[in-house]
Amino acid sequence: MTFRQFAFRNVTRNARLYTAYFLSSMFTVMVFFTFSIFAYHPLLSGERIQSSAALALAVSKWVIYIFSFFFVLYSMSAFLQSRKREFGLMMMHGMTVRQLRRMIFLENMIVGSGATLSGIGLGLIFAKGILLAGENVLALNEPLQFYLPFKAIVLTLFSFLLLFVLISLFISSVLRSGKLITLIKADRQPKPEPKASLLLSLLVVSLLGVSYFLSLRASGLNVVLLLVPVVIMVTIGTYLLFTQLSVYLIHMLKAREGLYWRRTNMLLFSDLSHRMKDNARAFFLVAIISTVSFSAIGALYGFQSMINGALTQKNPYLFTYQSLDGDSKAQAHIQLIDESLGRAGISAEKTGLELNYYKAVDGRTMVLVKQSDYNRLAALMELKSIRLAAGKAAVVDFGLSRKGEELLNQPVELQPGGVIEADQAVVSWAIRGVSGYYVVPDEWISTLGQPLKVSRYYAWHGATGQPGVKKAGEKLTNELPYDEQYTFYALEYLTSKTNEGFGPVMFIGFFVGIVFFVSAGSFLYFRLYSDLDEDKHKFKAISKLGLSDKELGRILNRQLSLLFFAPIVVALVHGAVALTALSHMFQYSIFRESLLVLGLFFFIQVIYFFIVRLFYTRQIRSALAG
């Protein structure tokens, strides 16, 4: 038997551990290959349609490639840790450190080459379906025909073979053999009792509590301002949660003798305290990676829902037009819009109002709108009308702006004379694109004198989805000017353009999120099976003391449940808070979208748990039977 044959048989003999590593690597290769198929597609390359989408796909595949490097590196490191005893036996029979490193290099290259070729093969098999799905998501006007992706095959093959070569060289070069007796007894080394700090445990509660409070209380652009400090606090808090607080809570449970000595709890708690300390880094990585995955996909799905829902619901005007002073050009533009609606047979009701601009004593320019004009538009849009207190005004914001909250109860003196003061701040979509304007009683406008300028705002309200609306909006958008003097907005046309631009982002985010989630599940798998041999010896010894089959099943269920669901539940909570903060930012509820995304990921994790539990329990029982 040659040395290469020996390395190959080692791979097949350790198929239990190598399977997850192989499948995860294969999936990552397939995703990278899929992105390459899109990036090199004739329809998306060069100066052709959706070149920006091709650029985004090209950048994203390298993001996946970089992530794949660290994922494979971690996977190999965890795998080698579980084989220390095997390495010790090989060295005891005469294998040198150089031969050991060569063996590890060959094994990793065998698995890596197989994963690369299998990933490319699966990508080719499902290429037609993937192109069809991408065609719909990317909102393309032309079909993505199947082609032989020669460039994508060469790029993927070369990139991932290079990746596995680099990782194999790195792992084999930094491998420390250690003392022979240490390697042989690696699975029998006594572990010290893990300790936890009460101060650091309390810090976890403070960090996560403050982060959640700030995230859930923030609104508008404040969410963006709090993003960096909240992410830092959550990251630190999550790490300490698994390294300190969890261990401290287990110690508290062990101190309760009535609970500790009940049934098999002594075995469970004693094992958990060590496992939580050993698995803390893996739990932390899984929780953070899963949080990023949940938040990214939930946010993208929520954005898509908002684009197709909020923009239509909160901007139900088919067209809006705004001009300064209503000159002859503006009248011609309005006539053109009316004629276009008539030719297309579009049913819409036209209304309008005046935006009056005044100069304040402090130099600011204030925009005033008559109460009757605002309420007329609000009624047309089925929005709540504004009622003013005697001598008071209301300040109104559009979209994400919250300027109105800063202007509350602050008297503003105008240069023509007169003082206005707002006692209520309103967020309203009645006047598109204008924020921080004051709604005042009608009679005030006549008493304040001549404004600096007057902007006339027109809106055409009608049912969305009428035939010809999108085409008419596109034609008018190309014909009418868009500058400081004149502004035209066509709802359905611009919504479709937004969807075309957002399609690639949604497509990319979904795939990257799935890669992250699969990788997180693989981390748990490696962490679990790295302790399999130790668990076999442990339960075999305990079974001699009278451990029943039912009690064994109960202990394994609890341990596996903690391993699989502790980091995922933490990630789900983090993700739910992040998506709630996002909904506050845009003043649009994405509860349904968040629940669907988080629920789907949890359901996948449950299925993964039952599959792994089946095979893991079978391994333990077979060891006891032997």
Side-chain angles (χ1 to χ4, degrees), residues 380-393:
L380 191 65
M381 296 180 66
E382 298 182 354
L383 297 173
K384 186 178 180 180
S385 61
I386 291 180
R387 295 184 179 181
L388 300 175
K392 300 292 183 179

Side-chain angles (χ1 to χ4, degrees), residues 528-540:
L528 173 66
Y529 273 89
S530 64
D531 295 331
L532 178 59
D533 291 333
E534 178 184 347
D535 287 345
K536 285 181 178 180
H537 292 300
K538 178 182 65 180
F539 285 113
K540 194 168 186 178

Side-chain angles (χ1 to χ4, degrees), residues 208-441:
L208 295 182
V210 171
S211 301
Y212 290 168
F213 177 79
L214 292 176
S215 300
L216 297 176
R217 293 283 296 176
S219 61
L221 295 177
N222 289 332
V223 176
V224 179
L225 298 176
L226 291 171
L227 179 62
V228 173
V230 166
V231 168
I232 293 174
M233 287 192 292
V234 168
T235 302
I236 297 174
T238 304
Y239 182 78
L240 294 177
L241 170 66
F242 293 117
T243 59
Q244 299 295 324
L245 181 60
S246 60
V247 178
Y248 185 81
L249 291 176
I250 292 173
H251 281 315
M252 290 182 61
L253 293 175
K254 290 172 66 176
R256 299 178 59 181
E257 294 187 1
L259 179 65
Y260 182 67
W261 292 102
R262 184 180 179 185
R263 295 183 180 178
T264 58
N265 286 348
M266 179 181 66
L267 297 175
L268 178 65
F269 291 151
S270 299
D271 191 61
L272 281 183
S273 60
H274 289 91
R275 281 183 179 270
M276 289 303 298
K277 201 74 173 182
D278 293 342
N279 298 338
R281 188 175 300 176
F283 282 4
F284 168 71
L285 288 174
V286 171
I288 295 300
I289 291 173
S290 300
T291 299
V292 172
S293 179
F294 299 160
S295 301
I297 295 181
L300 291 171
Y301 185 37
F303 280 143
Q304 186 184 51
S305 174
M306 187 174 66
I307 289 172
N308 296 304
L311 290 181
T312 302
Q313 296 169 6
K314 297 184 177 181
N315 295 274
Y317 300 132
L318 298 179
F319 303 137
T320 60
Y321 176 81
Q322 186 176 342
S323 69
L324 292 175
D325 300 325
D327 57 14
S328 58
K329 284 186 178 181
Q331 295 302 319
H333 295 160
I334 294 170
Q335 184 178 355
L336 176 62
I337 296 171
D338 288 334
E339 291 175 353
S340 298
L341 289 170
R343 285 196 300 268
I346 300 170
S347 175
E349 181 180 351
K350 182 172 70 175
T351 187
L353 53 74
E354 292 182 348
L355 302 173
N356 301 278
Y357 293 79
Y358 287 89
K359 198 77 171 180
V361 173
D362 59 9
R364 290 181 295 170
T365 300
M366 317 303 295
V367 182
L368 274 59
V369 174
K370 292 181 179 179
Q371 180 183 10
S372 60
D373 286 347
Y374 174 86
N375 286 338
R376 185 174 66 253
L377 260 72
L380 191 65
M381 296 180 66
E382 298 182 354
L383 297 173
K384 186 178 180 180
S385 61
I386 291 180
R387 295 184 179 181
L388 300 175
K392 300 292 183 179
V395 62
V396 184
D397 286 322
F398 173 86
L400 295 180
S401 175
R402 295 297 180 271
K403 293 167 58 177
E405 298 176 358
E406 302 173 2
L407 300 174
L408 277 178
N409 302 313
Q410 294 185 14
V412 178
E413 185 177 354
L414 303 181
Q415 285 187 3
V419 177
I420 58 173
E421 181 180 356
D423 65 345
Q424 56 179 308
V426 178
V427 177
S428 170
W429 303 80
I431 303 177
R432 195 198 68 81
V434 183
S435 285
Y437 61 91
Y438 287 84
V439 174
V440 299

